[in-house]
Structure formats: structure tokens, C-alpha cells
Amino acid sequence: MFGLSNFTYDDDGFRTCSVTGLQIHRSAEDMVKLFGLTSVVALLVGGIFAVFVALTRWELVGLLSPSDFYKYLSVHAWYLLIFWMVFLEIAILYVGGPFVLGRKLPLKWLSKAAYGIMVVGVVLITFGIWTQAPPDQAPLLTSYVPLPSPPAFYVGVVLFLLGALVAALPFLAVIWQEKRQNPGKTLPLVAFGAFATSIIAAEAIVGGLITFVPTAFWRLGFIEHLDAGWYRQMYWIIGHGSQQINLLAMITVWYFMTHVVGGAEVASQKVSRFAFVLYLFFINMGAAHHLMSDPALSSAWRMWNTSYAAYGAVIASMIHAFAIPAGLEIGRRRKNLGGGTFGWLWRAPWKDPGFSATILSIVLFGFMGGITGVMMGQMQLNMTWHNTLAVPGHFHATVATGTTLAFMGLLYYVIRLVFGKDWIGGILATIQPYLYGGAMGLVALMMMYLGVLFGVPRRHPSVMDIPGTEFSFSAAQPLFVIFGLAAILALLGGALFLVIALASLLFGGKFEASMMPTPQVVASAAADGGPAADDEAAGAAPDGGTATPGDAVESEAGADDADVDAAAHEETSMRGTFTLVLLFFATFLALWALNWFLLSNLWSIGP
């Protein structure tokens, strides 16, 4: 497809991936290319509109008028929070299903039809937003009833959601075929994660259809009235559920990429699978934090959703937060790729943009998006976050930083392993994840500071001078300067990714497995006296091949039982991960205490 492949296929349409060893069929590969490239186009469009949004929010520039700001913000939100994510998530399902299981993609015609329906939906949504005029409102992401938006917008949303639901059916058919033919065999973890993602996606999309179908009929005049309270509660099934799809897809990518690029092994299959199962029951409770100030909901409803029930999802996230770095540490130690507490991490392939983007995604999502998500989802602390700039700060930490970095890292390897093209850019490809991740992390941090510390409202194009108010936000101006400069750097980082990706597809040379700094290649380089050649990193057998754990244990003649026990302990040690997790918990507790302190300062208690 697209004539951008360097691979040859057997008579049945299969080829063997030289890096992963997976049997990949052309039917699945074609659709991964189609959905993946479309997601990148959505990233480009959303990024262009992000320039206008950021330079309007930074009031030193104040680029757009208020009416234009809402229009541009709506396009920016739908392209980056929805289209960029969902198109790539369909591609991830096809990787997690047909690729990992070595099967053809059944019902390919249905996948193509679903793609067409989704594209028509995107066109109608864009047309509706761009041609919006009074009395219609720019829909933003919520498009709250009874404020009307253009009819084309609602019809487009229904078509897009319907197409995404249909696009998942070929993936589910692959899972059904696999379990039917191998009823006693457990799905590989990546396929299991993709399957859990599809269930969460189906729940969110069905909720979205239940919400938007009657809303479309209302806007077209077939229904006279919709209850605004009903809409708010139903909308967040898809409004927040779409981000829950992102979460599960991102974690699945984390497991896949740390294994393929970093040599990770799964620390515990049962524990990781149990965490995915917990998400199925509890992750949907996260939507409740958008409704903590809604007068239509009882205190009991709020308390249940933001405490007892939500903790199940928090536990699942904590499990993955330990299991993924632990798997990386175990895998690299068993390949003798670094000793000590953090040698396995220091000697990781940090120059590889696929690896660095994945690890930065894990760190930034966990420390910024994960912690703040738990806090703002707690009923009392939500009062200091709700409807301020801290809320978009949170989802820029999760989606625009964490998930986008993970998907960028995956796409670097889609270019290599699916298109067969090597990257163009050299040092620019190396620094791109650091530039984007660091700058976007700072953007999200400034937005959260501005919201929690100063109460800067979300969605409003200006805050220094809000008509009809006497509030002064002048003290927040220095943080807006940092926000504006960081936003420009983040946009440059995103543009650099797009340039590298496009240039690689068009002009990149043929990718060979030897170009990839896998643990095996690193170990061989160490044996040959390369950069990794030292007594801790070298993991090569005497003949220059890759050492196995057994080779490492028996490499010294006459080793006694104590030496063997020490080597075996080193292979399974997780002390580095344990140290990092303690740091994470300490940060969590410090930020939790700080937010409660800020909440306590809202009221003066006592005489």
C-alpha cells in the first residue's frame, strides 16, 4: 500500500519481521499503514491549530479574537484529542491482534468501509466547526446541550463513532479465531492489552452513540427537548472514555516497545493481566471528576465514584507503573546490560528515539498526568481544580505529553518495521523526543500552576482582562511567559517529528535489523570493543555472539555455588525499579499534601 514498502512476501502474503520474529500478513500491514498515516495527518492539522491557540492564550501575543479562538480551539481539540488518537489506536489493535498472533486480517473490506465512514465523519465535523455562525456555538469538545452547534457537527460525530466501532470488528474476529483454534492457550500480553482496550473502546463509543444520536435528532428538529443534566452525565461516557482508550492503548504500547527496543521481559504475566482486568471494571469511574460540581448529582454518587470505585483503577495503574520498569530491569540484567542499581537504565539505548520517547512517556505521564489525575478525581481536591486552566493542564500532561510521546515512539518503529524505511535526521531524530517531551511537560506544568495557584479559567481566550469582573491575574503573567515560550518549543518538537517521519517515508534507505540498537546488538558491540565495552555492560559470548543468562553465570571457570547464586540474584533483581517507585510515592505524597494545604487556605477557620 502507498508503494512505500521494502519487503517481499510469500505466496500466502506473509513475511517474517527481522526484529520481532512476528509473522505479518499484508492484509493487516496495509491497514496499519492506512490508519497510521491518517493519524499523522490529524496530528499535523491539530498541531497547526495549536499554534493559534497557544499564541492567543499567551496574551503577550493575543493572536485571535474571542470568536475565532473558540473555533480554532474546537478544531485543535477534535484533531489532537480524538482523531490523532483514535485512528492510531485502530492501527494499534491491528498490531496487537493480527501482527502479534501471526494471522491475516479478516473482513478487510469491513475495515476499509469503517475507515471511509470515519473520514466522512472527520470532514463533517470539521465543516460544521469551521462554518459555525450564530446562533450555533463552537462545540469545543463537550458541545453541551442546550447550546446548539451546527447539525453537520453532530452527524459527523455519529458517523465517526460508528466507523470506529466497526473498525474494531476485524480485530475482534482475529481474537475469536485465535481462541476458537487454541481454546487452552493464553493470549500474549500485548494482544491481551489490545483486547482490553477494545472492550473499553466499545463501552465508550456505545455511550457516545447513545449521547449523540438523540442530540443530532434534537439539532435537526426531530426532537423538541433534551435534558441538559442527562446530556452531561451521558456525554462523559465518551468525553472521558475516549481518554481511557488512550490509557490502555498507551500501556499496551509501553509493554510492546520496552520489549522490542529495550529487551524487557514481563515481570509477572498474571499480575499485569490482572491490572488490565481491573481497568475493565473501574477505569470508567474516572469520568466522574468532570461532574463533581454538578448540582444534579447526589453526594453519595460523587463519593462512590471518586473514592471506593475509582481506587480499583488507581491500583491497576500502580501495578503497571511497577511492572513495566521492573520488566525492563529484569530483561536487561538477564542480558548482562548493566549492573549496579541503575546500570541497566544508564546503558539503555537513549539515542534511539523510539526508546527515549517510550520512557519519557512513562515518566511524564506517571509523575504529571497520573498523580494529578488521582488528585483532581478526589471530591474535595477537585474544588481547587474544577473549571480552571489546571484541567487542560492535566490532560495535556496525559494525552499531549504521555500518550503522544508513546505513539510517536511507536510510529518511529512503524516506519522501520512496517514500511521498511530507516530514519532520516540523525541527531535531530535523537533529540526530538527530549525537545517535545520536555517542552510539552513544561506547558502542562504551567497550565496546572496557573489554574490551581491563580484560578485562571479554562477556555476563555483572555484572563488579564475579563469583561464584567474585577479579578486581577497580573501576578500570573510570568508563568504565562514560560507557558508561551515552552509552547513554541513543543510545537517545534512536534513539527520536527512530522518532518522526520515524512522524510523517512519518502527518502529513507532500506532498514536492516543490524541498524537497531537492540540488547543483542548492544551486547555484540560491547564484545567488539564498541562504546558499551566495559566489564558491566559486555554481555557477549567469546565468539562475538550474544550471551545468554547461562553464559553469564558460567563465564568464569571454577565458579562456586556462591558465585552462581549471586549471578542468579542479579538477573532477577528489581532494586532499581523499587528505588524509582519509592521516589514516585514520595512525589505523590508531597503533591497530595500540598494540594490539601492549598485547599485549606481557601477558607479562614476560627476567629
Side-chain angles (χ1 to χ4, degrees), residues 151-291:
F153 166 79
Y154 295 112
V155 175
V157 173
V158 171
L159 288 176
F160 182 80
L161 293 176
L162 182 62
L165 190 63
V166 173
L169 295 180
F171 164 79
L172 294 173
V174 171
I175 301 298
W176 180 80
Q177 289 176 350
E178 176 70 15
K179 296 307 295 179
R180 182 179 175 85
Q181 295 178 17
N182 302 287
K185 185 179 178 181
T186 303
L187 290 173
L189 182 61
V190 171
F192 188 86
F195 181 55
T197 303
S198 71
I199 295 174
I200 295 296
E203 177 187 90
I205 292 171
V206 169
L209 290 172
I210 293 172
T211 305
F212 279 103
V213 168
T215 307
F217 282 122
W218 164 74
R219 186 61 187 87
L220 291 168
F222 297 106
I223 296 177
E224 183 177 349
H225 171 74
L226 279 181
D227 182 77
W230 172 88
Y231 179 92
R232 287 195 302 273
Q233 188 162 3
M234 293 302 300
Y235 165 78
W236 284 110
I237 298 176
I238 181 64
H240 198 272
S242 60
Q243 312 316 312
Q244 293 157 359
I245 305 170
N246 300 340
L247 173 66
L248 270 74
M250 175 185 65
I251 291 173
T252 302
V253 169
W254 288 350
Y255 278 108
F256 180 78
M257 289 297 293
T258 53
H259 170 72
V260 171
V261 189
E265 300 177 13
V266 181
S268 173
Q269 291 274 352
K270 291 182 179 179
V271 171
S272 293
R273 292 172 195 274
F274 176 68
F276 277 117
V277 172
L278 282 176
Y279 278 145
L280 297 180
F281 289 97
F282 298 110
I283 191 64
N284 57 339
M285 305 298 181
H289 75 74
H290 294 280
L291 301 168

Side-chain angles (χ1 to χ4, degrees), residues 317-524:
S317 295
M318 294 296 185
I319 290 172
H320 290 305
F322 182 86
I324 293 172
L328 184 64
E329 180 174 4
I330 291 172
R332 295 187 66 79
R333 287 189 188 278
R334 286 180 177 172
K335 296 176 180 66
N336 293 325
L337 296 171
T341 302
F342 293 115
W344 57 277
L345 194 58
W346 304 142
R347 293 178 175 84
W350 290 105
K351 293 182 180 180
D352 185 302
F355 180 84
S356 60
T358 302
I359 302 303
L360 286 172
S361 167
I362 295 171
V363 173
L364 293 173
F365 185 96
F367 278 85
M368 295 181 62
I371 291 176
T372 59
V374 174
M375 290 190 300
M376 70 187 294
Q378 207 273 336
M379 189 165 68
Q380 292 88 347
L381 295 182
N382 184 268
M383 289 185 285
T384 63
W385 288 69
H386 182 75
N387 223 24
T388 70
L389 197 59
V391 175
H394 160 73
F395 62 70
H396 276 77
T398 55
V399 182
T401 305
T403 308
T404 294
L405 273 171
F407 287 3
M408 284 179 174
L410 177 66
L411 284 170
Y412 273 115
Y413 273 86
V414 167
I415 292 171
R416 280 188 161 184
L417 304 184
V418 177
F419 286 94
K421 302 280 189 175
D422 196 27
W423 307 319
I424 284 180
I427 188 65
L428 292 178
T430 296
I431 67 173
Q432 184 275 322
Y434 300 99
L435 174 61
Y436 178 83
M440 186 54 72
L442 192 57
V443 168
L445 193 63
M446 291 303 103
M447 294 171 81
M448 288 188 281
Y449 279 165
L450 287 164
V452 174
L453 299 180
F454 296 96
V456 172
R458 62 181 300 195
R459 294 177 173 161
H460 201 278
S462 65
V463 293
M464 299 306 167
D465 180 25
I466 302 179
T469 69
E470 296 181 357
F471 294 108
S472 173
F473 293 99
S474 58
Q477 287 182 352
L479 295 185
F480 266 112
V481 173
I482 299 174
F483 162 82
L485 295 174
I488 292 173
L489 289 176
L491 290 165
L492 290 175
L496 183 58
F497 169 78
L498 292 168
V499 170
I500 291 170
L502 180 61
S504 300
L505 288 174
L506 295 177
F507 309 112
K510 183 177 180 181
F511 169 70
E512 302 289 350
S514 59
M515 299 176 181
M516 179 174 164
T518 61
Q520 290 79 12
V521 175
V522 171
S524 299

